[in-house]
Amino acid sequence: MHHPRNALQALAGRPLRFLWSAWPWRSLAYLLSGAVFGAAAALVVSVALAAGVVAAVALVAVAVVPCGPVAGRFERWRLRLVDRAPAADPHGRPGAAGPRARLREQATWREAGYTLLSVLALWWVDLGAIAVGGVLPGVLLSAPLQPDTPCPSACPWPWPER
């Protein structure tokens, strides 16, 4: 029996079987975790902005770099939801130098950049995918249950008056 490695392989293999598998739920968990992480981080930045622009810039400068590796670990965990192959940890073994050695690694700065990008934009993409993939079909499927809802003026056909 063939076990797909990721959600795309599961969908391409047998689309109807995909719907009854764990992959849609795993994909939803991936999107929700990204939206929740980004919204929480954006809330922290918004609170800092309320304290002033200098406080927000200081928060980003002080928090994003140390939080980058944590966000990177979280993102590697999230990727396991939609792809069974683990993403390798790009960090080398920390030496005796401690946290300063991490600041010299390219991976730390890539993770910090990803964290900043996630806070500013990527969580909106996850939230939009959830809305388009879940909420919109739910609204459309519930339309027959809403007979008293007036038709918008853009409808191409006439509706009978009640």
Side-chain angles (χ1 to χ4, degrees):
M1 182 176 194
H2 171 69
H3 294 288
R5 193 190 89 186
N6 57 40
L8 184 59
Q9 286 179 355
L11 182 60
R14 295 190 175 186
L16 291 178
R17 183 175 285 179
F18 172 83
L19 293 175
W20 302 110
S21 70
W23 286 110
W25 297 108
R26 293 169 65 106
S27 300
L28 180 62
Y30 175 80
L31 292 171
L32 283 173
S33 62
V36 169
F37 170 75
L43 180 65
V44 169
V45 171
S46 298
V47 169
L49 274 174
V53 174
V54 174
V57 170
L59 174 76
V60 167
V62 171
V64 167
V65 174
C67 289
V70 174
R73 249 189 323 274
F74 178 67
E75 184 61 24
R76 285 187 291 279
W77 172 80
R78 285 182 61 225
L79 283 171
R80 290 293 304 270
L81 291 171
V82 292
D83 191 346
R84 290 187 177 162
D89 188 350
H91 294 285
R93 292 188 174 224
R100 287 189 179 179
R102 289 274 188 194
L103 292 177
R104 288 187 224 112
E105 289 184 334
Q106 268 189 333
T108 299
W109 293 100
R110 281 193 306 264
E111 289 172 340
Y114 175 80
T115 302
L116 187 60
L117 185 63
S118 179
V119 168
L120 296 176
L122 292 179
W123 71 278
W124 286 100
V125 174
D126 290 345
L127 195 60
I130 292 168
V132 170
V135 175
L136 184 62
V139 169
L140 293 174
L141 288 171
S142 70
L145 304 174
Q146 304 168 13
D148 294 335
T149 304
C151 180
S153 60
C155 285
W157 57 84
W159 285 94
E161 294 295 323
R162 291 189 179 179

